[in-house]
Amino acid sequence: MLFLRWILRHPFTVVCCAIVIVLSIVGFASSTYDWGWDVLATGQEDVFRHHRWWGLVTAFLAVDGGGALIFVVPFIVVVVGGAEQLMGTWRTAIAYIGGSAASGLIGFGLSWVESTYLGFLPLNAPSIEALSPATGVICAAMAASSFASALWRRRIRLGASFIAVTLFLYSGGAGDFYSLVAVPVGLVLGFALGGSRSKFRLIRSSHHEIRTLLAAVVALGSIGPVVAALIGSGSGLLSIYGLLAVDVDHPRTALIGLLPVAVGIVAAWGILRGRRAALWLAVCVQVMMSAVMLGVFVVIQPETMTAIAEQANEEVDPYIWQTLTGSALCAILPLAAAALLILLRKHVDIRPSRASAKRFLVITLSALAGTALISFVGILAISDQFRPVPTALDILRALPLRLVPPTFVISDGLAFIPKTHWAHKLWSLPAGLLWAAVLTASCLLVLGRTAVIDDDDRVRARAILERGGGHTLSFMSTWPGNSFWFDEISDAAVAYRVQGFVAVAVGGPFGPAFADPQVVERFVRFCGDHGWTPTFYGVDDATIETFAGLHWQRLKVAEEAVLRPRDWNPTGKKWQDIRTAVNKAGRAGVVAQWTSWRELSLLQRSQIQAISEAWVAEKNLPEMGFTLGGLDELVDSSVRLMLAVDAQGTIVAVTSWLPLYGPAEEGKPRVCGYTLDFMRRRTDAANGTMEFVIAAAVEQAKSDGLEILSLSGAPLANAAPESSTLDVRGSVVAQILDYVGRSLEPAYGFRSLLNFKKKFQPEFVPLWMLYPDTTDLPSVGAAIGRCYLPRLSVIQLSGLLRDLRPKTTQEAHREPAA
């Protein structure tokens, strides 16, 4: 029944698959038995000179073999089926058929220009025959991207572009060229077909999504040479990888070339998880590949490439210049990828621990020294098995080349080469051993249990936190970016971040002895010993007396909305909005789901990511951090999620709740409350959806017997400063903070969030920032700004300052955008 329902909802996909299967079989049979009508007359000469115009369509509706058919049909089902679900049947049909024909026409024209004016440098195989359903698939995907959410719009476009560019560069067939042309054609078609999100504008990405894209770049850059090697001798500019991976006499040595690929994949996985060490590992691999290919470019001569081409494929012989250009491009592109990684390194900010970094260096340097010694001593011992017979100096000069996979070393650049079986074994052994060691060290660096800086401290702090004692922000101390100070006398700790010469503590101390004033005094002394100005950010009224002995200044920076679940009873007129939201959700079939990230399916996680990316894309400034969590903070097993799921199983809203621990019972952590952190909803969610989700969370907390539920605080929302010496309304600092809060309201909506929380009739508790002296306020303010926006670029800062300029009267009274 489910299969039949899918067929009925995707008629074009079904018809397209049937046509591809039938045309492929008929075309193959007609070519074999010479029926007189070549269905697959798809070359440039066939279409234009012999007027077989059907080739413009059949070229993208057939394949040339049964093996290709096995892979193409599932590809069409997944991609074209998804496109049809996004933009409907008739739009998908236009995008596939019309886009394929347009791509073919444009591709034929560009191929003619290439053969006429760039014949000395063929960029791809000539359009003698091209069967490429991938062209129509990419057209349909690019067109459908205009109807997708911000997350999937970007992923579809980048994914299709990466696939098309990879095939074009590493394979270079005529069909691959048409697939590359299909990328802009499909994009334009999506706009023309009325995509609701088809405006050209910069879409901002969250830190999580940027890491995903960087990881994709590294992974594709690593897998690309494998694609080239599998193809063997393509016509793409980077198909030289395929030529260099071939060793007819010793085919197993090509497997050594897979080890750097594996290192690149490990680095890509680490980048996805935010590991800074993985980013630098990827940079090193890219630079190494650039150096190797630069050496290939310098060493290669046309005569050498002719010999290589004749050995691999005689048809490649005319493309010597293409190979030379390709080797130069192979040296440039890895450098470009490395530059991109370095430029965006701020989004991959989880530092490696000293132990893991030291272990990586020890393993790598030991392997480097060991393999160099093995190579030198071994070759010297059997030097008579090499031609010409090398001297010790010759072997020493050639040692760097022994660390490169053998297939990537051109023989013309060598002073001597192996001539016997055992000499060739020794020739290949050092590179294999070295890269196996590097792969092992990379796995330990990126994936090891102690791969993250202060990981042991984090585990220790988590144990103290779970023993109870602290405040509603205490769980935020477990987030990456925090350092920890542990009291040597009592069971308490402080999480802090150093910006400049200011140490910003996340709230106050936490742990069973969190209320001991001497803990605060010892932490202040610790900061003084390091030359830091201590600051406590987000201290509530319940613990403010702990800091009384310091006689510091204090500034109200937020209003925290606190609920008592045991007293929750939404009756009366003031609860009308909440009751209306709950009743409306019930009538629409929306239900609440109390769960965690690990309990979600892959589809549900993807939906949450899409909701978050759509929210981030609408912001003019980067995603904030410090006390404002994002997607990365949802994965903790102790963090609970309350979802709103509609009747079709689609997540329409999501909230995350951080645990507040009370005194442990029988040695086990006891959760006495939760703090709201992550809060997102779909752009098309019905009004009142978020009210429904939070009300459901309060009901859940009430049924669990919890003591407190914090809706968290909104920074700069009603943040009037107070101190024992300054009048609140007359304070210059208060006016500045109020002005900044009003200016940032369009970007982050902190004050709107505070007004939203008022619907739940909470108890508002001020959150304070405590600092030593008024003269420290400028540096403290800058440090806290850096905590929230550590990745703020110069361009973004200039935009922020522009937004803070006084608005004209007309602009000040303009209605906010919907």
Side-chain angles (χ1 to χ4, degrees):
M1 182 63 69
L2 184 62
F3 178 69
L4 180 61
R5 187 184 306 169
W6 188 92
I7 291 177
L8 295 175
R9 291 181 178 179
H10 303 81
F12 176 76
T13 303
V14 175
V15 172
C16 184
C17 290
I19 292 175
V20 168
I21 294 172
V22 172
L23 267 184
S24 299
I25 296 174
V26 171
F28 177 74
S30 64
S31 300
T32 303
Y33 296 104
D34 194 18
W35 289 357
W37 180 56
D38 192 352
V39 179
L40 305 182
T42 59
Q44 187 171 338
E45 294 287 328
D46 291 319
V47 173
F48 290 101
R49 179 169 295 182
H50 301 295
H51 306 292
R52 296 170 178 172
W53 302 107
W54 61 83
L56 283 175
V57 177
T58 58
F60 310 106
L61 289 172
V63 295
D64 58 359
L69 198 62
I70 294 175
F71 292 100
V72 166
V73 171
F75 188 48
I76 294 174
V77 169
V78 174
V79 180
V80 179
E84 189 169 3
Q85 185 172 349
L86 278 174
M87 60 179 179
T89 300
W90 69 270
R91 287 191 180 95
T92 306
I94 292 175
Y96 190 100
I97 299 174
S100 297
S103 299
L105 284 172
I106 296 173
F108 284 147
L110 293 177
S111 295
W112 177 83
V113 172
E114 177 189 337
S115 61
T116 304
Y117 299 103
L118 299 174
F120 66 94
L121 183 61
L123 302 175
N124 53 273
S127 299
I128 299 173
E129 184 178 81
L131 300 175
S132 177
T135 302
V137 173
I138 290 177
C139 267
M142 292 298 294
S145 68
S146 295
F147 298 82
S149 64
L151 172 66
W152 285 105
R153 179 164 66 250
R154 178 168 53 249
R155 286 186 173 179
I156 290 171
R157 290 175 180 175
L158 289 178
S161 301
F162 278 143
I163 291 173
V165 170
T166 300
L167 289 175
F168 174 72
L169 292 177
Y170 290 102
S171 175
D176 302 321
F177 179 59
Y178 299 148
S179 297
L180 183 65
V181 175
V183 171
V185 170
L187 189 63
V188 172
L189 274 175
F191 297 162
L193 291 173
S196 59
R197 301 173 177 87
S198 59
K199 295 180 180 179
F200 287 102
R201 70 182 183 91
L202 177 65
I203 300 177
R204 191 172 304 282
S205 301
S206 68
H207 311 311
H208 176 86
E209 185 62 14
I210 290 177
R211 290 201 302 271
T212 300
L213 300 179
L214 289 178
V217 170
V218 174
L220 287 174
S222 301
I223 296 173
V226 178
V227 174
L230 292 175
I231 295 172
S233 56
S235 302
L237 283 173
L238 302 186
S239 59
I240 186 175
Y241 282 113
L243 295 175
L244 295 177
V246 176
D247 189 338
V248 177
D249 297 327
H250 305 87
R252 292 184 180 180
T253 58
L255 297 177
I256 299 176
L258 294 178
L259 294 175
V261 172
V263 173
I265 293 175
V266 170
W269 175 256
I271 291 172
L272 184 63
R273 300 302 299 269
R275 304 292 194 259
R276 177 66 66 87
L279 182 139
W280 289 116
L281 180 64
V283 169
C284 292
V285 171
Q286 298 296 327
V287 171
M288 184 214 69
M289 289 300 300
S290 177
V292 169
M293 298 313 298
L294 181 61
V296 171
F297 175 75
V298 171
V299 169
I300 285 179
Q301 299 296 327
E303 297 83 2
T304 303
M305 285 314 304
T306 301
I308 295 176
E310 289 176 350
Q311 183 179 14
N313 188 334
E314 294 180 357
E315 296 180 358
V316 186
D317 183 70
Y319 301 112
I320 303 303
W321 284 103
Q322 179 187 16
T323 306
L324 290 173
T325 306
S327 61
L329 191 61
C330 288
I332 295 172
L333 287 182
L335 283 182
L340 179 66
L341 291 169
I342 294 173
L343 183 65
L344 298 178
R345 67 186 184 280
K346 59 185 180 181
H347 298 282
V348 187
D349 56 359
I350 300 179
R351 311 275 179 169
S353 65
R354 289 186 178 181
S356 61
K358 182 179 179 181
R359 180 175 53 198
F360 175 83
L361 290 176
V362 168
I363 294 176
T364 303
L365 294 178
S366 299
L368 186 64
T371 52
L373 181 62
I374 291 173
S375 179
F376 180 80
V377 174
I379 294 176
L380 188 62
I382 57 172
S383 59
D384 57 331
Q385 299 183 31
F386 293 84
R387 293 292 182 272
V389 178
T391 65
L393 184 60
D394 292 333
I395 299 173
L396 192 62
R397 289 174 178 174
L399 280 181
L401 294 178
R402 302 281 54 77
L403 310 180
V404 179
T407 52
F408 282 80
V409 178
I410 303 300
S411 58
D412 278 12
L414 299 175
F416 56 93
I417 56 175
K419 287 299 183 181
T420 66
H421 174 75
W422 289 107
H424 195 279
K425 290 286 187 182
L426 185 60
W427 186 260
S428 305
L429 181 63
L433 293 177
L434 174 64
W435 283 102
V438 171
L439 177 60
T440 302
S442 300
C443 291
L444 294 174
L445 176 66
V446 175
L447 308 176
R449 296 182 61 183
T450 60
V452 180
I453 189 171
D454 296 331
D455 191 63
D456 293 336
D457 287 348
R458 200 173 306 279
V459 172
R460 180 182 174 186
R462 184 65 171 264
I464 293 175
L465 179 68
E466 293 179 351
R467 287 197 286 271
H471 46 89
T472 54
L473 303 184
S474 291
F475 192 82
M476 298 176 184
S477 63
T478 64
W479 292 353
N482 293 325
S483 299
F484 299 95
W485 171 84
F486 300 98
D487 191 12
E488 298 179 354
I489 299 176
S490 59
D491 193 9
V494 175
Y496 65 94
R497 301 187 183 201
V498 177
Q499 295 290 346
F501 293 98
V502 178
V504 183
V506 183
F510 59 88
F514 78 101
D516 186 354
Q518 294 184 0
V519 173
V520 174
E521 294 176 1
R522 285 190 285 268
F523 174 73
V524 170
R525 191 179 306 116
F526 163 79
C527 292
D529 293 341
H530 288 77
W532 301 331
T533 300
T535 300
F536 294 90
Y537 184 86
V539 178
D540 57 20
D541 273 348
T543 56
I544 195 69
E545 293 301 323
T546 306
F547 305 86
L550 297 177
H551 303 291
W552 281 5
Q553 303 292 321
R554 65 179 183 176
L555 189 68
K556 188 167 66 175
V557 292
E559 294 278 2
E560 182 181 22
V562 177
L563 298 174
R564 306 294 175 181
R566 296 174 181 175
D567 301 330
W568 172 262
N569 186 20
T571 58
K573 185 177 181 180
K574 60 184 180 180
W575 297 96
Q576 182 62 42
D577 290 344
I578 306 301
R579 292 197 304 273
T580 300
V582 173
N583 294 333
K584 183 178 180 180
R587 291 192 299 269
V590 178
V591 297
Q593 181 179 347
W594 184 247
T595 182
S596 67
W597 183 261
R598 294 185 179 181
E599 296 172 359
L600 299 178
S601 66
L602 184 62
L603 177 60
Q604 289 176 314
R605 294 179 183 181
S606 177
Q607 291 177 11
I608 293 176
Q609 290 174 359
I611 292 172
S612 179
E613 289 303 316
W615 182 87
V616 174
E618 296 174 354
K619 303 302 176 185
N620 295 324
L621 290 174
E623 190 177 19
M624 282 190 168
F626 192 36
T627 62
L628 299 172
L631 274 175
D632 295 331
E633 284 69 41
L634 303 186
V635 300
D636 194 298
S637 59
S638 298
V639 175
R640 303 296 297 179
L641 305 178
M642 180 61 81
L643 312 177
V645 185
D646 65 14
Q648 288 73 40
T650 301
I651 297 175
V652 295
V654 54
T655 58
S656 73
W657 300 85
L658 311 178
L660 172 63
Y661 294 100
E665 295 180 348
E666 298 180 357
K668 296 181 179 180
R670 182 180 71 87
V671 176
C672 63
Y674 284 99
T675 300
L676 175 63
D677 177 36
F678 188 88
M679 186 167 62
R680 305 278 194 274
R681 70 181 182 94
R682 288 174 58 95
T683 54
D684 57 353
N687 292 333
T689 301
M690 197 55 68
E691 288 88 337
F692 162 73
V693 175
I694 294 179
V698 181
E699 292 287 354
Q700 180 70 40
K702 183 177 182 179
S703 65
D704 292 342
L706 301 183
E707 303 167 8
I708 186 174
L709 202 70
S710 170
L711 302 185
S712 194
L716 299 177
N718 193 27
E722 294 184 15
S723 70
S724 59
T725 60
L726 294 176
D727 176 72
V728 174
R729 298 186 180 275
S731 171
V732 175
V733 178
Q735 297 176 16
I736 293 175
L737 287 177
D738 183 69
Y739 182 68
V740 172
R742 284 187 285 107
S743 300
L744 288 180
E745 178 62 21
Y748 292 109
F750 293 136
R751 299 188 174 199
S752 300
L753 179 62
L754 189 66
N755 291 330
F756 165 78
K757 294 174 182 178
K758 291 180 180 178
K759 296 181 180 182
F760 298 91
Q761 309 304 316
E763 171 191 353
F764 282 104
V765 178
L767 294 179
W768 303 93
M769 180 181 73
L770 303 175
Y771 56 99
D773 190 80
T774 304
T775 57
D776 297 319
L777 197 55
S779 59
V780 168
I784 291 176
R786 275 295 172 188
C787 288
Y788 274 110
L789 291 169
R791 306 171 183 88
L792 188 67
S793 66
V794 175
I795 296 176
Q796 293 165 344
L797 179 60
S798 63
L800 173 60
L801 295 177
R802 183 177 61 250
D803 292 339
L804 291 177
R805 290 183 304 180
K807 308 295 189 297
T808 63
T809 304
Q810 182 178 358
E811 290 175 335
H813 291 85
R814 185 178 299 170
E815 289 295 328

